[in-house]
Amino acid sequence: MATEESVSKEPRSSTKRRSLEEPEASKKHNVDGLENALRFMVTLNPSTVTRGNIKLHLAIDEIVKHSQEEGLTPDQIKTLVDVITSPNKNISQTLRTKFVKCLLPSMKVPQSVVVRVISYISTRIFSTPGPSNLHSTLLRWILLTFDYLDGYDQLHKVYDIIFQFVNSYLLLPHACHLLFLLTRKCDVRLYKVHKLLELTNKIGPEPYLVGLLMIYKVFCPHLVSMRLSTTHKVYFKAHDVVWRSHISAVVNGRLVDDQRLAADVSNVKMRREKEAAPPRSKKQKLVVPGPHSAADEVQEEKDIEDENKSVPFEQIESFTDFLDALEKIEYPSQIATALNDRRLQLLLSCEPDRIVITRLCFWIQHVFAFGFKGADKDGLERNEKLLQMLLTFSQNVQGLPIVEGFLESYLPTWNGQSYAPLIFSLITCIRPSSYQELHCSILEPLHRLFFSSDVYFKSMCITSLTKLIQNLSMEAHLQIVSKEVQQKGPSVSKQSEMEESREDTRPSPDVTKDHEATGEGSEKDKVLTTIQTILFQLVSLLDGVIVVGMRMENDHYLLQSTALDLIYTVSVIFQKYCIPLVCLPIRMIHRLLLSDCPATLARLCGIINSFREAFTSLRNNSEKWNTTAITCDTMVATQVFQADTLRAEGRGKDKFNALLLDALGMLWQGRLFAERRNFKSIFQFKPPSHLEGKLKDNALTIYNGPAFLALAYKFLKETQGEDKKVHPLQIEGFKDTYLVFLERENFPEFKQLVSLNIKGQKT
């Protein structure tokens, strides 16, 4: 039985082995049959009769069958293309077209074959009767197999030859599609644009012509000046859908398992990225474009390779590359992308280009002028993003007149509510060249809105202008420090220079003499004079405007707080930024001294002490400081500063001493509206006739004024008995103790003002 079973199993195993070997043998037989068929077609004699030729029909059937099932290898495709393009007259156009349909690649398509096809088509472009359907089919085959080419460098070399295909109306749609896929920056030339525009005038704005012009405009916007319609979502129609799907099926059927798995993973990744990306409609609404390489000057000859050739911005991948090619970096054609690109912002800061800056200013003015009219939700979000980009750009790239141009065109039509935080933040970033420019572009529109808006708009406006004063002062200070660092020479390290500049940023007499000798001192004085003019006239304007605003709003506490911030910024300009500007906003101080809020009066006393320190520092450094100072008189736009520093300091000192005496007389000594011979009172107020004799001198003191009644009552309750009647006048004999109480209640400024100016050293 064992022998019979072994004998019976042997034929079964051999049958199974033969069944496994049959597909390989069949496959080898098919390959041999295809090779024989291709060899037969190549060696076909022109004198051979094709009608009723059985061998010819068998060869054709073999080629069609094998290509439809297995596809063709690169060598087989090359052989079949030789058959299609051969001058053998026995092969009809119909048969050649049938063979083109059989050019289904199993793997890759060699470039040399495609170049051969391009050369074959080009022979009929300018001949009569021109290209036929066979040439159109070959060109369509190139488009269908474009993704399966083994490279594109050789094909790109015949770009100009392919461009000649646009002279044939039969090949025009497919030629434009192929050119669209191959176009690079170096391919865009003026004569090609003229040719496409000429065709557009003849046959109309066909989608394929518009698509090719669109890619030309992306690379060289200055060559394509016409406005292109973007309504076409698809510029090139999908021809030969069945043929395309058959090619894809054949190629995908030949993929190895790991390649197929990699493709599936890639498709899943792309699908996830597509789902995570914003919808297409929102992408189209994004105004700021992506970076594209700009075009050089129009040249019809080939570009000459040299060492000074510019480097496209897209090729900069690291900061090291950025530094190496800093002077050769080519700005992108869509310069508006600088609003959202930190690298371009750094490039504009290091290597500013006037033409590029002008282009960016024009773009911003156009987009912000015509794009802020939409009131829908999407339009508001888009405008906020644009303003945020502009704000970030202006903070990173300083000194460019981009924000000024936008604000000058937008503020006259602004309603004061839309995008208010962003607009006020942009106002703090401007760098005006003169006060007249600042007044016309910024202050005049804000002046109209200030008196027609609520208290919150007034507060935001004052806060933004306060920040502007601080930024302008800082800019002048940095210029002074940079010139001092340059004057010290390269022997001093940067760290020591920064430390010395923090300790004493005022120049010594020797440095001043050197600056005057080299002309740098005059330039520094000119910068300081310009900044001082803007700051002084801006503070003088705000001094009156804010007082009127507080009267309109019944001395709102929010306005009082913002006004105090402004006065404090003015008081510390000299100590913090070394600018000899002591401008007293007397009208604001006068108004705030009559406030009914103890916190306001406390801060105001601290600011008066700050002004005192500023005058003391200015007096101590007046002999060293060799620059122009500002008088405290009201100035007009054309007024120049006096060169006599001591005289200007004396005028400011007189006005400050009048302020100091009035404040101390009102709050501490109970002498209101006192007349003095040496110093004119800042109040300049005569009580009405019906109040004469009724208004007591101690009506506004720190213990009897309306702002201090609650504090005085609390002090008396703590120091007197519970059943004893109290009155604020009882504190008059214990004012020193009351100052300690105010300090305990977090109002130490009153004690500092009294101890510094009455019991300490006087100014």
Side-chain angles (χ1 to χ4, degrees), residues 286-338:
L286 189 61
V287 178
V288 178
H292 295 287
S293 296
D296 296 329
E297 297 295 331
V298 180
Q299 298 178 356
E300 298 300 332
E301 295 87 4
K302 293 183 178 179
D303 297 334
I304 300 176
E305 298 288 342
D306 55 0
E307 297 180 356
N308 297 325
K309 187 176 180 181
S310 59
V311 179
F313 175 74
E314 287 77 7
Q315 295 183 6
I316 304 299
E317 298 180 354
S318 62
F319 187 71
T320 304
D321 298 339
F322 181 87
L323 295 178
D324 294 339
L326 181 60
E327 298 178 354
K328 301 179 182 180
I329 298 178
E330 177 187 3
Y331 285 97
S333 58
Q334 300 292 345
I335 191 57
T337 190

Coordinates of all heavy atoms in Angstrom, one line a residue, residues 286-338:
L286 N -7.3 84.7 0.3 CA -6.1 85.2 1.0 C -5.4 86.1 0.0 O -5.0 85.7 -1.1 CB -5.2 84.0 1.3 CG -4.0 84.2 2.1 CD1 -4.4 84.8 3.5 CD2 -3.2 83.0 2.3
V287 N -5.2 87.3 0.4 CA -4.7 88.4 -0.5 C -3.2 88.3 -0.6 O -2.7 88.4 -1.7 CB -5.1 89.7 0.0 CG1 -4.6 90.8 -0.9 CG2 -6.6 89.8 0.1
V288 N -2.5 88.0 0.5 CA -1.0 88.0 0.4 C -0.6 86.8 -0.3 O -0.8 85.6 0.1 CB -0.4 88.0 1.8 CG1 1.0 88.0 1.8 CG2 -0.9 89.3 2.6
P289 N 0.1 86.9 -1.5 CA 0.5 85.7 -2.2 C 1.7 85.1 -1.7 O 2.4 85.6 -0.8 CB 0.8 86.4 -3.6 CG 1.3 87.7 -3.3 CD 0.5 88.2 -2.1
G290 N 2.1 83.9 -2.2 CA 3.3 83.2 -1.8 C 4.5 83.8 -2.6 O 4.3 84.4 -3.6
P291 N 5.7 83.5 -2.2 CA 6.9 84.0 -2.9 C 7.1 83.3 -4.2 O 7.0 82.1 -4.3 CB 8.0 83.7 -1.9 CG 7.5 82.6 -1.1 CD 6.0 82.7 -1.0
H292 N 7.4 84.1 -5.2 CA 7.8 83.5 -6.5 C 9.0 84.3 -7.0 O 9.2 85.5 -6.6 CB 6.7 83.7 -7.6 CG 5.5 82.8 -7.3 ND1 5.5 81.5 -7.5 CD2 4.3 83.2 -6.8 CE1 4.3 81.0 -7.1 NE2 3.6 82.0 -6.7
S293 N 9.9 83.7 -7.8 CA 11.1 84.4 -8.2 C 10.8 85.5 -9.1 O 9.9 85.4 -10.0 CB 12.0 83.4 -8.9 OG 12.5 82.4 -8.1
A294 N 11.4 86.6 -9.0 CA 11.2 87.7 -9.8 C 12.0 87.6 -11.1 O 12.9 86.7 -11.2 CB 11.6 89.0 -9.1
A295 N 11.8 88.3 -12.1 CA 12.5 88.2 -13.4 C 13.5 89.3 -13.4 O 13.4 90.4 -12.9 CB 11.5 88.4 -14.5
D296 N 14.6 89.0 -14.1 CA 15.6 90.0 -14.4 C 15.2 90.9 -15.5 O 14.1 90.8 -16.0 CB 17.0 89.3 -14.7 CG 17.5 88.5 -13.6 OD1 17.3 88.9 -12.5 OD2 18.2 87.5 -13.9
E297 N 16.1 91.8 -15.9 CA 15.8 92.6 -17.0 C 15.5 91.8 -18.3 O 16.0 90.7 -18.4 CB 16.9 93.6 -17.3 CG 17.2 94.6 -16.2 CD 16.0 95.5 -15.9 OE1 15.3 95.8 -16.9 OE2 15.8 95.9 -14.8
V298 N 14.7 92.3 -19.2 CA 14.3 91.5 -20.3 C 15.5 91.4 -21.2 O 16.1 92.3 -21.7 CB 13.2 92.3 -21.1 CG1 12.8 91.5 -22.3 CG2 12.0 92.5 -20.2
Q299 N 15.9 90.1 -21.5 CA 17.0 89.8 -22.3 C 16.6 88.8 -23.3 O 16.0 87.7 -23.0 CB 18.2 89.3 -21.5 CG 18.7 90.3 -20.5 CD 19.8 89.7 -19.6 OE1 20.1 88.5 -19.8 NE2 20.4 90.5 -18.8
E300 N 16.9 89.0 -24.6 CA 16.6 88.1 -25.6 C 17.7 87.1 -25.8 O 17.5 86.0 -26.3 CB 16.3 88.8 -27.0 CG 15.1 89.7 -26.9 CD 13.8 89.0 -26.5 OE1 13.7 87.8 -26.8 OE2 12.9 89.6 -25.9
E301 N 18.9 87.5 -25.5 CA 20.0 86.6 -25.5 C 20.1 85.7 -24.3 O 19.4 86.0 -23.3 CB 21.4 87.4 -25.7 CG 21.4 88.1 -27.0 CD 20.8 89.5 -26.8 OE1 20.4 89.8 -25.7 OE2 20.7 90.2 -27.9
K302 N 20.9 84.7 -24.4 CA 21.1 83.8 -23.2 C 21.8 84.6 -22.1 O 22.7 85.4 -22.3 CB 21.9 82.6 -23.6 CG 21.2 81.7 -24.6 CD 22.0 80.5 -24.9 CE 21.2 79.5 -25.9 NZ 22.0 78.3 -26.2
D303 N 21.4 84.3 -20.9 CA 22.0 84.9 -19.7 C 23.5 84.5 -19.6 O 23.8 83.3 -19.8 CB 21.3 84.5 -18.4 CG 19.9 85.0 -18.5 OD1 19.6 86.0 -19.2 OD2 19.0 84.4 -17.8
I304 N 24.4 85.4 -19.3 CA 25.8 85.1 -19.1 C 26.0 84.8 -17.7 O 25.7 85.5 -16.8 CB 26.6 86.4 -19.5 CG1 26.3 86.8 -21.0 CG2 28.1 86.1 -19.3 CD1 27.0 88.0 -21.4
E305 N 26.7 83.6 -17.5 CA 27.0 83.2 -16.2 C 28.2 83.9 -15.6 O 29.2 84.0 -16.3 CB 27.3 81.6 -16.2 CG 26.2 80.8 -16.7 CD 25.1 80.7 -15.7 OE1 25.3 81.0 -14.5 OE2 23.9 80.3 -16.0
D306 N 28.0 84.6 -14.5 CA 29.1 85.3 -13.9 C 29.0 85.2 -12.4 O 28.0 84.6 -11.9 CB 29.2 86.7 -14.3 CG 27.9 87.4 -14.1 OD1 26.9 86.8 -13.6 OD2 27.8 88.6 -14.4
E307 N 30.0 85.7 -11.7 CA 30.0 85.6 -10.3 C 28.9 86.5 -9.6 O 28.5 86.2 -8.5 CB 31.4 85.9 -9.7 CG 32.5 85.0 -10.2 CD 33.8 85.4 -9.7 OE1 33.9 86.4 -9.0 OE2 34.8 84.6 -9.9
N308 N 28.5 87.5 -10.3 CA 27.6 88.5 -9.7 C 26.1 88.1 -10.0 O 25.2 89.0 -9.8 CB 27.9 89.9 -10.2 CG 29.3 90.4 -9.8 OD1 29.7 90.0 -8.7 ND2 29.9 91.1 -10.7
K309 N 25.8 87.0 -10.5 CA 24.5 86.6 -10.8 C 23.7 86.5 -9.5 O 24.1 86.0 -8.5 CB 24.5 85.2 -11.5 CG 23.1 84.9 -12.0 CD 23.1 83.6 -12.8 CE 21.8 83.2 -13.3 NZ 21.8 81.9 -14.1
S310 N 22.5 87.0 -9.6 CA 21.6 87.1 -8.4 C 21.1 85.7 -8.0 O 21.0 84.8 -8.8 CB 20.4 88.0 -8.7 OG 19.6 87.5 -9.7
V311 N 20.8 85.5 -6.7 CA 20.4 84.3 -6.2 C 18.9 84.4 -5.9 O 18.4 85.3 -5.2 CB 21.1 83.9 -4.9 CG1 20.6 82.6 -4.3 CG2 22.6 83.9 -5.1
P312 N 18.0 83.5 -6.5 CA 16.6 83.6 -6.2 C 16.3 83.4 -4.7 O 17.0 82.7 -4.0 CB 16.0 82.5 -7.0 CG 17.0 82.2 -8.1 CD 18.3 82.5 -7.5
F313 N 15.3 84.1 -4.3 CA 14.9 84.1 -2.8 C 14.6 82.7 -2.4 O 14.8 82.3 -1.2 CB 13.8 85.1 -2.6 CG 13.3 85.0 -1.2 CD1 14.0 85.6 -0.1 CD2 12.1 84.4 -0.9 CE1 13.6 85.6 1.2 CE2 11.6 84.4 0.4 CZ 12.4 85.0 1.4
E314 N 13.9 81.9 -3.3 CA 13.5 80.6 -2.9 C 14.6 79.6 -2.6 O 14.5 78.6 -2.0 CB 12.6 80.0 -4.0 CG 11.2 80.6 -4.0 CD 11.2 81.9 -4.7 OE1 12.3 82.3 -5.3 OE2 10.2 82.6 -4.7
Q315 N 15.8 79.9 -3.1 CA 17.0 79.0 -2.9 C 17.6 79.2 -1.6 O 18.5 78.5 -1.2 CB 18.0 79.2 -4.0 CG 17.5 78.9 -5.4 CD 18.5 79.0 -6.5 OE1 19.7 79.3 -6.2 NE2 18.1 78.8 -7.7
I316 N 17.2 80.2 -0.8 CA 17.8 80.5 0.5 C 17.1 79.6 1.5 O 15.9 79.7 1.8 CB 17.7 82.0 0.9 CG1 18.3 82.9 -0.2 CG2 18.3 82.2 2.3 CD1 19.7 82.7 -0.4
E317 N 17.8 78.6 2.0 CA 17.2 77.6 2.9 C 17.7 77.8 4.4 O 17.0 77.3 5.3 CB 17.6 76.2 2.4 CG 17.0 75.9 1.0 CD 17.4 74.5 0.6 OE1 18.2 73.8 1.3 OE2 16.9 74.1 -0.5
S318 N 18.8 78.4 4.6 CA 19.3 78.6 6.0 C 19.8 80.0 6.2 O 19.9 80.8 5.3 CB 20.4 77.5 6.3 OG 21.5 77.8 5.4
F319 N 20.0 80.3 7.5 CA 20.5 81.6 7.8 C 22.0 81.8 7.3 O 22.3 82.9 6.9 CB 20.5 81.8 9.3 CG 20.8 83.2 9.7 CD1 19.9 84.3 9.5 CD2 22.0 83.5 10.4 CE1 20.2 85.6 9.9 CE2 22.3 84.8 10.8 CZ 21.4 85.8 10.5
T320 N 22.7 80.7 7.2 CA 24.1 80.8 6.7 C 24.0 81.2 5.2 O 24.8 82.1 4.7 CB 24.8 79.5 6.9 OG1 24.8 79.2 8.3 CG2 26.2 79.6 6.4
D321 N 23.1 80.6 4.5 CA 23.0 80.9 3.1 C 22.5 82.4 2.9 O 22.9 83.1 2.0 CB 22.0 80.0 2.4 CG 22.4 78.5 2.4 OD1 23.6 78.3 2.5 OD2 21.6 77.6 2.3
F322 N 21.7 82.8 3.8 CA 21.2 84.2 3.8 C 22.4 85.2 4.0 O 22.4 86.2 3.2 CB 20.2 84.4 4.9 CG 19.6 85.8 4.9 CD1 18.5 86.1 4.2 CD2 20.1 86.7 5.8 CE1 17.9 87.4 4.2 CE2 19.6 88.0 5.8 CZ 18.5 88.3 5.0
L323 N 23.3 84.9 4.9 CA 24.4 85.8 5.1 C 25.4 85.8 4.0 O 25.9 86.8 3.6 CB 25.1 85.4 6.4 CG 24.3 85.6 7.7 CD1 25.1 85.2 8.9 CD2 23.9 87.1 7.9
D324 N 25.6 84.6 3.4 CA 26.6 84.4 2.3 C 26.1 85.2 1.0 O 26.9 85.7 0.3 CB 26.8 83.0 2.0 CG 27.5 82.2 3.1 OD1 28.1 82.9 4.0 OD2 27.4 81.0 3.2
A325 N 24.8 85.2 0.8 CA 24.3 85.8 -0.5 C 23.5 87.0 -0.2 O 22.5 87.3 -0.9 CB 23.5 84.7 -1.2
L326 N 23.8 87.7 0.9 CA 23.0 88.9 1.3 C 22.9 89.9 0.2 O 21.8 90.5 0.0 CB 23.6 89.5 2.6 CG 22.8 90.7 3.2 CD1 21.4 90.3 3.5 CD2 23.6 91.2 4.4
E327 N 24.0 90.2 -0.5 CA 24.0 91.3 -1.5 C 23.6 90.8 -2.8 O 23.5 91.6 -3.8 CB 25.4 91.9 -1.6 CG 25.9 92.5 -0.3 CD 27.3 93.1 -0.4 OE1 27.9 92.8 -1.5 OE2 27.8 93.7 0.5
K328 N 23.3 89.5 -3.0 CA 22.9 88.9 -4.3 C 21.5 88.4 -4.3 O 21.1 87.8 -5.3 CB 23.9 87.8 -4.7 CG 25.4 88.3 -4.8 CD 26.3 87.1 -5.2 CE 27.7 87.5 -5.2 NZ 28.6 86.4 -5.6
I329 N 20.8 88.4 -3.2 CA 19.5 87.8 -3.1 C 18.5 88.6 -4.0 O 18.5 89.9 -3.9 CB 19.0 87.8 -1.6 CG1 19.9 86.9 -0.8 CG2 17.6 87.3 -1.6 CD1 19.5 86.9 0.7
E330 N 17.8 87.9 -4.8 CA 16.8 88.5 -5.7 C 15.5 88.5 -5.0 O 14.9 87.5 -4.6 CB 16.8 87.7 -7.0 CG 15.8 88.2 -8.0 CD 15.7 87.3 -9.2 OE1 16.4 86.2 -9.2 OE2 14.9 87.5 -10.1
Y331 N 14.9 89.7 -5.0 CA 13.5 89.8 -4.4 C 12.5 89.1 -5.2 O 12.6 89.1 -6.4 CB 13.1 91.3 -4.3 CG 13.8 92.1 -3.2 CD1 15.0 92.8 -3.4 CD2 13.3 92.0 -1.9 CE1 15.6 93.5 -2.4 CE2 14.0 92.7 -0.8 CZ 15.1 93.5 -1.1 OH 15.7 94.1 -0.1
P332 N 11.5 88.5 -4.6 CA 10.5 87.8 -5.3 C 9.6 88.8 -6.1 O 9.5 90.0 -5.8 CB 9.7 87.1 -4.3 CG 9.9 87.9 -3.0 CD 11.3 88.4 -3.1
S333 N 9.0 88.3 -7.2 CA 8.1 89.1 -8.0 C 6.9 89.6 -7.2 O 6.5 90.7 -7.4 CB 7.7 88.4 -9.3 OG 7.0 87.2 -8.9
Q334 N 6.4 88.7 -6.3 CA 5.2 89.1 -5.5 C 5.8 89.6 -4.2 O 5.9 88.9 -3.2 CB 4.3 87.9 -5.3 CG 3.8 87.3 -6.6 CD 2.8 88.3 -7.2 OE1 2.3 89.2 -6.6 NE2 2.4 88.0 -8.5
I335 N 6.2 90.9 -4.2 CA 6.8 91.5 -3.0 C 5.9 91.6 -1.8 O 6.3 91.7 -0.7 CB 7.4 92.9 -3.3 CG1 8.3 93.4 -2.2 CG2 6.3 93.9 -3.6 CD1 9.5 92.5 -1.9
A336 N 4.6 91.5 -2.1 CA 3.6 91.6 -1.0 C 3.7 90.4 0.0 O 3.3 90.5 1.1 CB 2.2 91.6 -1.6
T337 N 4.4 89.4 -0.4 CA 4.6 88.2 0.5 C 5.5 88.6 1.7 O 5.6 87.9 2.6 CB 5.2 87.1 -0.3 OG1 5.2 85.9 0.6 CG2 6.6 87.3 -0.7
A338 N 6.2 89.8 1.6 CA 7.0 90.2 2.7 C 6.2 90.5 3.9 O 6.7 90.5 5.1 CB 7.8 91.5 2.3

